[in-house]
Amino acid sequence: MDVDGGLRWNNRFAALGPAFFTRLAPQPLPAPYWVGRSRAVARELGLTEEWMASQAALEVFAGNLALAGSAPLASVYSGHQFGQWAGQLGDGRAILLGELVTPGGAGLELQLKGSGLTPYSRMGDGRAVLRSSIREFLCSEAMHGLGIPTSRALCVTGSDAPVRREEIETAAVVTRVAPSFVRFGHFEHFSYSGQHDELKRLADYVIERFYPACRDSAEFSGNPYAALLEAVSARTAAMVAQWQAVGFCHGVMNTDNMSILGLTIDYGPFQFLDAFDPGHICNHSDPQGRYAYNRQPNIAYWNLFCLGQALLPLIGEPELAMAALEPYKTVFPRELEARMRAKLGLADEQAPDRELIETILKLLAQDRVDYTIFWRRLSQHRAGGPQEPVRDLFLDRAAFDAWMLRYAARSATVPDPAQAELMLRTNPKYVLRNHLGEQAIRAAKLHDFSEVERLLAVLEQPFDEQPERDAYAGFPPDWASSISISCSS
Ligand code: AMP
Ligand code: MG
């Protein structure tokens, strides 16, 4: 049975042809219930509150009911995982419902994650567990609230259907939303399997829809595919600079988890740093620390290099591909420095800024200072608050005082409202720390979803004071360090 929902569809990915996917419907999720819903995303999609409250909507987003006009499919891609060519992967537990035409006229794709077996499931069961679905839902919206490019999440539906991981858990489905879910790995797939006509069709589709300026770019001898590689590099650089500045670890930066649009996608063992530790590894399935916090910028470049190799049949000259990758090495540091300068409230650029930034990061690492709390307290100090709450975070007070003197000399000597405003809009009060997600998950396992809702509301406005929610901005409790997050999801 189909339900209409009053929606308009324009399924452009589906129009690429059967080489790109397998058409199939989601597998039903027995006796579903709502776990979380984002009003903001529903609004963007043009889904009314009434409809989102309906049984039909619940059944649709559990995968039990089809939307008229959708064209459900699982797409095929490949990728490099932990530095190794992994061959064919694909949507092993995700189903793309199709591309909605939003009230604003934009095309947004709806994807169910955890909706059952597909031809690309390999050894997996096609399902996602409640815990990881709540994490993906909350983090998507938290990142959006922080102004970081990301896929969005409309809702999570759950079921008591058992799912086997290290222990028996229950199933859930996240509905993800993005202009496109095309990954670097899609290009690798068609390149390495020798399907170069399809490779070109995919690249032309991505350029046409998302990078139209590449079509007529005079750069790279007018080669649109080299221009595409450069444009993707620039977006990726900007995204990773934002991750670094806010203290976000993705955890699994495999090429199949890299969006061609420079969006943060595939939330798994991610973490926002508590104490600042440059070498922090958030994924217990990554003992070597390939995806450690301070390696993310280089890994992004490594992944872009893979994309460049995949695009070689279209680009032609390896030199052109290398030239297209070159700007990453300047764009990334420039973007990061701009972000860090904003964290310090410095609107203009001066020569000693880099040293000011490097010194404070060294001190934060040395004393294992809480990253989010430090920046927020510094912002509050610049807004006229006392200095002690910042100073108290450090063990080496003399070193902090020396840095503070140089910082004060560099910025306005009296509290400056514009500077304070910039800092309070740059340094969030609230981030999705592991223990906050964990509290929501523990309650949700007992069918109490109120904490998911509360946390979502807090994280949607991460720069606002929200004094009644102060508890969400505190230091992590001792038990937070015992939370173990792996690839198991
Ligand atoms: P990830 O590490 O979550 O990005 O997943 C890597 C690949 O494994 C993708 O092709 C996923 O679709 C697939 N995958 C992960 N978990 C499952 C699962 N439970 N069932 C089927 N496929 C899965
Ligand atoms: Mg993935």
Side-chain angles (χ1 to χ4, degrees), residues 1-7 9 51 54 56-57 59-60 65-70:
M1 193 182 93
D2 279 11
V3 57
D4 184 305
L7 304 168
W9 300 82
W51 191 71
S54 69
E59 300 292 349
V60 163
L65 192 61
L67 279 170
S70 66

Side-chain angles (χ1 to χ4, degrees), residues 77 81 89-93 120-122 124-127 165 252 256-257 266 489:
Y77 55 81
Q81 299 187 314
L89 303 164
D91 294 323
R93 53 173 168 171
Y120 317 111
S121 297
R122 297 175 298 149
D125 58 6
R127 288 300 181 188
R165 294 293 180 262
V252 201
D256 53 302
N257 291 340
D266 280 21
S489 60

Side-chain angles (χ1 to χ4, degrees), residues 149 233-243 262 328 331-332 335 339:
S233 303
R235 284 205 201 177
T236 305
M239 172 187 75
V240 176
Q242 286 193 271
W243 291 0
Y328 181 87
V331 173
F332 173 75
E335 290 278 341
R339 295 278 164 197

